[in-house]
């Protein structure tokens, strides 16, 4: 939209994306990561010949700085750990936030039980596969961004809404079925899973995992089902990596195909028909009339 609405100011603009790792969008496959980098570096299409003459030779609107981390931000410059300095006019911080004081306080109060997992948890609360906080004897439950499952079936999970939503459903199930979440140590020194109320009715969906665990007493550990990840890359293109089934090869799409997958999933996640109609209406208006941008 910048070249479209402010073509004569384009020569003063440079967008520099700073990334500490050697690639972008780490959860995606390497193929889609390379596609994302290509989309970021794509040339700006300038139709106005007069505007093109104003631009310097080999003009690049976007520059991607990989393996670069920020050391310090002042009011006029950004200092990188590799010694480079970047003068700037507008800085947008898009990295993650640090843990909340409450999270750090819980980790500190639980002492060695949390400290021994710090290299894996990295500032998050370490939990067992049933989301009972390590060292709390089952008196504290933690899930979502602030927690990290240690030794779970799926390993440490990313801090995403998809993970938190599935963990919330899992915990609600345990509580509705009146599982005892307190931590009990067996004679062999092992921490036992939560135990269910044997008087509660067992559904057919519950019997399937019981065939695997060979127990009607203990709760199965939480297992994350990766439904896929999506990223919009601009210019009506997107990246999509969708898992059709556990342990199955993902369905991958980029460009226009990825954008179609991204929009279909986005619409399916709306909570009502009204919201879906409003979203589609916004997409159509933007395609026909462009984005609603106020210009001075």
């Amino acid at each position: 939209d910048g070249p479209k609405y402010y073509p004569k100011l384009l020569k003063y603009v440079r967008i520099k994306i700073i990334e500490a790792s050697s690639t972008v969008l780490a959860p995606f496959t390497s193929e889609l990561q390379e596609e994302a980098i290509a989309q970021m570096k794509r040339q700006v299409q300038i139709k106005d010949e007069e505007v093109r003459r104003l631009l310097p030779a080999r003009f690049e609107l976007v520059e991607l700085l990989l393996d670069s981390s920020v050391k310090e931000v002042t009011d006029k410059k950004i200092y990188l750990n590799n010694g480079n300095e970047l003068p700037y006019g507008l800085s947008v911080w898009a990295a993650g936030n640090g843990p909340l004081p409450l999270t750090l306080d819980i980790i500190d109060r639980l002492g060695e039980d949390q400290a021994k997992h710090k290299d894996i948890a990295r500032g998050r609360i370490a939990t067992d596969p049933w989301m009972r906080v390590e060292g709390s004897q089952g008196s504290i439950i933690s899930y979502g961004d602030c927690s990290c499952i240690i030794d779970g079936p799926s390993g440490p999970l990313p801090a995403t809404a998809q993970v938190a939503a599935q963990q919330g459903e899992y915990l609600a199930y345990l509580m509705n079925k009146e599982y005892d979440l307190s931590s009990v140590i067996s004679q062999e020194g092992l921490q036992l899973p939560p135990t269910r109320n044997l008087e509660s009715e067992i559904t057919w969906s519950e019997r399937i995992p019981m065939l695997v665990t060979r127990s009607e007493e203990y709760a199965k550990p939480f297992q994350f089902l990766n439904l896929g990840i999506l990223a919009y890359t601009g210019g009506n293109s997107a990246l999509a990596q969708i898992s059709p089934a556990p342990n199955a090869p993902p369905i991958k799409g980029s460009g226009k195909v990825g954008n179609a997958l991204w929009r279909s999933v986005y619409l399916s996640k709306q909570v009502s028909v009204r919201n879906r109609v409003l979203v589609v209406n916004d997409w159509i208006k933007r395609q026909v009339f462009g984005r609603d941008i106020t210009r001075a």
Side-chain angles (χ1 to χ4, degrees), residues 143-145 158 160-169 224:
Y143 74 102
D145 293 5
T160 63
Q162 187 180 161
V163 173
Q166 292 185 30
Q167 288 178 332
E169 291 178 4
F224 173 59

Side-chain angles (χ1 to χ4, degrees), residues 15-34:
I15 300 173
K16 297 182 185 290
I17 302 174
I18 304 170
E19 171 59 48
S21 66
S22 58
T23 187
V24 297
L25 300 176
F28 286 89
T29 63
S30 57
E31 177 187 351
L32 293 180
Q33 289 172 359
E34 292 173 3

